[in-house]
Amino acid sequence: PRVERASGGSVSMSRYWPEPSDVRRSNESAAAAGALASPPKGWPGCFSSNAALKAFMGKKALNGKRVRLTGTPSAEDASKASAVTIEPDDPFGNAERVQAALGWAIVKGFVVYECADQAEGTSFVAHLRWWNARESGVWVDFTPRPADAQQMVLLESAHAEAKTKKEASAATAEAAAARLALGGFLTQANGKPAPPDAKAPKQQSAPPPPPPRLDLKGSEGVEELVLLLRRGTAEAQGKAAAAIAAAAAAGADEARQVVGAGGVAPLLLLLRAKGDAQEHAARAIMSMADSPEHQASLSAAGAIPAAVGLLRSGSLGVQDVAAGILGNLAIQSEPNQTAIVAAGALPGLVSLLAKGAAPAKEQACFALWNLACQHPPNQLAIAEAGAVRPLVALLSKGTPPVQEEAAGALMNLAAHPDNKRAIAAANAIAALVPMLSQGGGPAEQAAGALMNLASNNALNQASIVKAEALSPLVALLQTAPKSGEPASRRAREYAAGALMNLCLKQKPLQDRVAAAGAVPLLVGMLSEQAEGAQYEEAAGALTNLADTHEENQAAVGKAGAVPPLAALLRKPSASAQEEAAGTLMNLAACDANKDAIVSAGALPPLVALLGSGSAAAREHAAGALANLANGRPEHAEAVGAAKALPPLLALLQQAPEGKDAAALRGCGGAGVAARAASALALASLHAPNAAEVRSEGGVAVLATALGAGVSEAAAALVNVSKGDAAARDALLAAGGAALLVREVSAGAPAAQAEAAGAIATLAADSARLAEAVVAAGGGGGRGGPPPPPRRRVRIV
C-alpha cells in the first residue's frame, strides 16, 4: 500500500481524524500516555487468568465480540492493496479504502495494550481502530504500527461503530496532535531511524580473542544457562539446553524468561548440532512457540527454515519435535502459515504421516491442521502434496490422539470445495462415522470433518447418510455413547452443523432426524450459556429441519425454541442473528408458532435486521415478517406498528451489483427483494398499512421492483392500490400496466399467475387501468373474469 504522511500539516479535506476520545482506559490509574505493550504480558493465558483484563475486554467495558493476535499484512496481501493509499494515523479511512478496492469487510474494534510502566497485569488501555477481513475471515490490518508492536491484540467490539469524518481545522489538528501523543501510531518519532552518514569512515579493529569455554555447575539461573548455550563446552551446552527445555515447558512465565534472556538465537544455533543438544534445543523452541507472544520473534530469528531443515535431516526423535515447532508457529498466524509452506515443509510432514512413529504422526497431523486452518491456498497445497490418503489411513490405524489430530486436519482441508471430493474418494467417510461413537476428541473432530464434507456437496451428503451417520450424530448432541460422559460443547456444535448440512431440502432426512429426538436437544443448545458457545449450527439445524415441513415446525415451536431464538436476534454475532432469523422465518410458516414469536418480542429485532443485517439476515427477517402477517390480521397490524414498512420498501430500492445481486433481487419467493415484496403484500391486507405504503411512495417503488423482475411485487401492488384512485393513477404513471402485461406474457409460471391476478383485480376496479392494459397488449379489459380473492402466500 502507498503510505502517506501522518497528520500534522494543514490538509483541507474531510476525513477521519485521530482524537483523544479514541483511547479507553481500564481504570483511573491506567495512564493514557506512556509505554504500551501489545500483546499484554502472558498473552493469551492472561485473558483467562487476569480478571482486570477480562473485565476490560468484556461486555461492561469494551464489549468485545472476537479477539485475535494479528501481525502485519503478508506480502501477498500487501501486493493486493498496493494501489490503496494508507495513512499512518487513519485506520478508519484505511479500512474503508481497502474495502472499496478489494471488497474486504471492515472490522471495527480496538487494539488492547498493557500499560508497561504500571504494575504488571493491573492497567490496560484500548485504542479505537478499524481493520479488514479477507473473504476467508482472516483479519488484515494495513495501518502501519510502531516497530515494537508488530503483533497486536485486536478486539472486535460493538462499541467501535461511532466515528465521523470532519473537515480540517485548528481544532482537528489540535485533537490529532493530542491523540498522537498517546502512542500507538507509526510517526516520525517512532518510525525507522535515519540511515548512517555515508561519509563516516568504517572503523577497523582486531577481533577479540575467543572467550574460554564454560562448564555447567548445576545451580545456574536462566540467564546463566543462556550464557552456557553460547560459551559452554559441548557437554555443558547439551545440559543447559535440557534445563532450558524443561523451564520453557513449565509455563508461560518461564518461557518468557528464556526469551527475555536472549535464548532464542543460541537455541536455534544448537539445532545444527547433533545428538541430545539438538533435541533439547528443539523441544525448548517448540515450548516457546506454543505461546503466540513469541511467534513473531521466533519466526524473525529463523525458526521456520531451521525446523524445516530438521524435518529433512534430523533424527527420528527430532523430526516429531520439528513438526511440533511448525504446528505451534502456525497457530492463528497467517504470515507464518504462508511462510512454512513456502519454506518447503509439506513433503517432510506428509512423509511423517506414513513413516514416522506415533508421536511424529501426531505432530505432523497437528502441523497440517494448523497450516490449513482458514487458509485456502494452504488447504489446496496440502492436498496436492499427497496428505489426504495417509491422513485417512490414520483414522483407522492410529492411536486415539492421532485419530483426533488426523480428523482435525481433514476437517480443515474439507473446508475447501476442491478437497471434498478427494477426501471422500479416499474412503474418509466410512472411517469417520465409527469415530463419532468413541467420545472425546476423536468424536469431536470426526463430527467437524463430516460437517465440512457435507457442506454444499450432494454426493458426500448421500455417502454420509449411507454410512449410517445420522444416529451417532444425534447421539453426540447429548452424550458420547461409549463413555456416557457429556460431549464437549464444540463436539455438539459440529454434530449440529453436520445435521444442518445433511437435512437441507431433504424431507426424508428431516423426518428421520426429528424422529431420532434431535429437536429438543438442539433447542436445549440454544439456551446454554457456556463460555465460547456458538449458536449458529444449532439454529441452522433447526432452520433446515423446519424448512417446508409443517410437523417439524410445530415440534420445534412446541419444544420451546422461540424465546431463545428471539434472544439470539439481539446478540452481537451477525451469523447468530442470521441463523436465528432464518429459523423464525420457517417457524412462522406454522400458525401455531405465530403468537409465540410475537409474544417473545421478536418483531423489533427482526425489523432492525432489515436495515443492518447481511443479505441473508435481511432476507430471513423479511420472510419472517411475511409469514407472521400471512393469515393473521392482528399480526399484519403489529408488523406495521413495529415500523417495518419503510425498511421493507427500502430493501426494494437497493441496487446491488456482483455476487449479491441475485441474493437481493431473488425470484420465485427467494431473495431479499422477493421476501420484502411478499411481506408488503401480506401486511397491506391491513388497510392502515396499505395507506402507509402509499404515503411512502410505495406504488412507484413496487412498480420499479416489478420491472426489475420481482414478481411478488404484483400482489403487493394489488393490495396497496385496490380501492384507491390516487394509487391506481400512480401505478399508471409508473407504467405498471405494461409491466404487468409483460409478466403475463414472458414471466415464469409463478410470475404469470401473480401478474394475471393483479390485472384482473385492478382492471375490474379502474376503467383507465383496463384501457392501459389493452393498449399494452394485455386484452381482456373489464369484460374479463371476475377478480380473484386476495391471495395469502406462504413464505418458507
Side-chain angles (χ1 to χ4, degrees):
R2 298 200 305 269
V3 178
E4 303 294 342
R5 60 174 175 77
S7 60
S10 60
V11 183
S12 180
M13 61 178 178
S14 177
R15 53 157 282 178
Y16 296 108
W17 295 92
E19 302 167 306
S21 60
D22 294 342
V23 178
R24 314 289 172 86
R25 299 188 297 169
S26 65
N27 52 57
E28 292 300 323
S29 63
L36 304 175
S38 187
K41 295 177 182 178
W43 186 269
C46 61
F47 175 68
S48 300
S49 61
N50 189 309
L53 177 59
K54 193 170 184 179
F56 185 43
M57 297 171 67
K59 292 182 179 179
K60 294 184 179 180
L62 299 180
N63 196 11
K65 301 178 183 178
R66 295 179 294 173
V67 62
R68 295 178 184 173
L69 186 68
T70 306
T72 55
S74 67
E76 180 182 359
D77 288 338
S79 174
K80 290 179 181 178
S82 59
V84 179
T85 298
I86 300 296
E87 298 189 17
D89 63 341
D90 185 13
F92 320 105
N94 293 340
E96 288 186 345
R97 287 185 287 274
V98 170
Q99 183 186 50
L102 304 180
W104 293 359
I106 296 174
V107 185
K108 300 180 180 182
F110 296 89
V111 185
V112 179
Y113 296 97
E114 182 172 0
C115 299
D117 47 8
Q118 302 285 324
E120 182 176 333
T122 61
S123 301
F124 305 89
V125 296
H127 292 178
L128 189 65
R129 195 177 186 95
W130 297 354
W131 57 93
N132 298 91
R134 291 170 44 184
E135 297 90 340
S136 62
V138 173
W139 288 357
V140 185
D141 176 25
F142 284 99
T143 301
R145 307 171 174 189
D148 58 352
Q150 296 304 290
Q151 292 283 328
M152 283 180 169
V153 172
L154 299 183
L155 177 74
E156 183 181 7
S157 168
H159 291 172
E161 298 288 338
K163 190 70 181 177
T164 58
K165 292 184 177 180
K166 298 179 183 178
E167 296 291 336
S169 66
T172 59
E174 181 180 355
R179 167 64 186 88
L180 292 177
L182 302 180
F185 287 123
L186 178 64
T187 62
Q188 193 170 16
N190 59 20
K192 294 182 178 180
D197 186 355
K199 296 181 181 179
K202 187 174 182 179
Q203 300 295 320
Q204 298 288 336
S205 60
R213 310 302 286 178
L214 304 177
D215 289 317
L216 183 74
K217 299 177 181 177
S219 59
E220 289 84 356
V222 170
E223 292 185 357
E224 294 170 304
L225 290 171
V226 170
L227 181 63
L228 285 173
L229 294 179
R230 294 193 180 97
R231 295 175 50 192
T233 62
E235 181 180 2
Q237 285 179 327
K239 292 181 179 179
I244 287 176
D253 290 340
E254 290 79 1
R256 195 177 297 116
Q257 290 176 17
V258 175
V259 174
V264 171
L267 285 169
L268 288 174
L269 285 175
L270 277 182
L271 295 184
R272 303 176 185 176
K274 298 295 181 183
D276 291 343
Q278 182 189 59
E279 182 173 349
H280 293 317
R283 292 193 180 279
I285 293 168
M286 181 174 71
S287 295
M288 288 186 287
D290 191 34
S291 175
E293 68 178 293
H294 304 316
Q295 287 179 340
S297 59
L298 287 168
S299 300
I304 290 174
V308 172
L310 290 181
L311 283 179
R312 296 179 181 140
S313 59
S315 65
L316 294 178
V318 170
Q319 287 178 331
D320 70 298
V321 184
I325 292 172
L326 296 173
N328 284 342
L329 290 175
I331 295 174
Q332 295 184 349
S333 174
E334 192 272 344
N336 282 355
Q337 289 174 300
T338 301
I340 289 168
V341 172
L346 294 184
L349 292 171
V350 172
S351 177
L352 285 182
L353 296 178
K355 301 178 181 178
K361 286 182 168 69
E362 181 179 347
Q363 293 291 2
C365 292
F366 166 75
L368 293 171
W369 177 338
N370 288 332
L371 288 171
C373 183
Q374 296 185 354
H375 199 297
N378 279 6
Q379 291 162 4
L380 277 180
I382 291 168
E384 291 170 357
V388 169
R389 289 197 174 276
L391 282 170
V392 171
L394 291 175
L395 298 177
S396 302
K397 300 178 182 178
T399 62
V402 171
Q403 287 178 309
E404 177 182 354
E405 299 291 344
L410 288 168
M411 175 182 68
N412 282 340
L413 293 178
H416 199 292
D418 292 351
N419 289 340
K420 298 179 192 291
R421 184 175 180 180
I423 294 172
N427 297 318
I429 292 172
L432 288 165
V433 171
M435 291 173 60
L436 296 173
S437 301
Q438 289 183 217
E444 177 181 310
Q445 300 310 319
L450 291 170
M451 175 181 68
N452 285 350
L453 286 169
S455 176
N456 297 316
N457 191 297
L459 290 176
N460 285 356
Q461 291 165 5
S463 298
I464 292 169
V465 174
K466 186 178 180 180
E468 301 183 352
L470 293 184
S471 294
L473 283 171
V474 173
L476 194 59
L477 294 175
Q478 185 174 28
T479 59
K482 281 190 176 181
S483 66
E485 295 295 326
S488 69
R489 172 73 191 194
R490 181 169 295 178
R492 298 163 66 207
E493 289 169 357
Y494 287 163
L499 292 170
M500 172 182 67
N501 291 335
L502 292 171
C503 289
L504 179 63
K505 305 295 183 185
Q506 299 289 329
K507 188 176 186 304
L509 297 183
Q510 291 172 304
D511 293 337
R512 290 177 58 185
V513 172
V519 169
L521 297 174
L522 291 165
V523 171
M525 291 177 64
L526 297 178
S527 301
E528 294 176 1
Q529 300 299 319
E531 184 175 355
Q534 302 293 317
Y535 302 93
E536 292 84 340
E537 286 81 8
L542 291 170
T543 298
N544 291 349
L545 283 170
D547 184 25
T548 66
H549 196 297
E550 294 186 20
E551 294 83 358
N552 284 358
Q553 291 163 3
V556 173
K558 188 176 180 180
V562 170
L565 286 169
L568 279 183
L569 293 176
R570 298 180 176 88
K571 284 190 173 290
S573 167
S575 56
Q577 292 173 341
E578 182 179 306
E579 290 296 346
T583 311
L584 289 171
M585 175 181 71
N586 285 347
L587 294 182
C590 176
D591 193 70
N593 294 327
K594 296 178 190 286
D595 290 342
I597 293 172
V598 174
S599 298
L603 281 180
L606 285 171
V607 172
L609 278 183
L610 296 176
S612 63
S614 64
R618 283 175 281 169
E619 177 186 346
H620 295 164
L625 295 173
N627 281 345
L628 287 171
N630 189 10
R632 297 293 293 270
E634 71 275 23
H635 294 333
E637 180 181 0
V639 168
K643 308 297 183 185
L645 303 180
L648 286 169
L649 286 169
L651 290 180
L652 293 176
Q653 295 175 284
Q654 294 179 351
E657 298 179 356
K659 64 181 182 180
D660 288 334
L664 286 168
R665 187 185 308 110
C667 58
V672 175
R675 306 284 193 195
S678 293
L680 288 165
L682 292 161
S684 295
L685 291 171
H686 181 63
N689 287 350
E692 182 180 350
V693 173
R694 291 193 295 269
S695 70
E696 295 282 343
V699 173
V701 172
L702 288 164
T704 300
L706 182 63
V710 183
S711 62
E712 292 78 4
L717 283 168
V718 171
N719 295 343
V720 170
S721 303
K722 185 172 175 60
D724 188 278
R728 293 194 300 271
D729 290 342
L731 178 59
L732 285 170
L739 292 172
L740 289 168
V741 170
R742 186 194 70 179
E743 286 294 304
V744 170
S745 61
Q752 289 177 326
E754 293 277 7
I759 288 173
T761 300
L762 294 173
D765 202 31
S766 168
R768 288 185 58 208
L769 201 146
E771 293 168 1
V773 168
V774 173
R782 296 188 70 183
R790 289 179 286 190
R791 303 189 325 123
R792 290 173 177 168
V793 184
R794 168 165 286 171
I795 304 297
V796 294

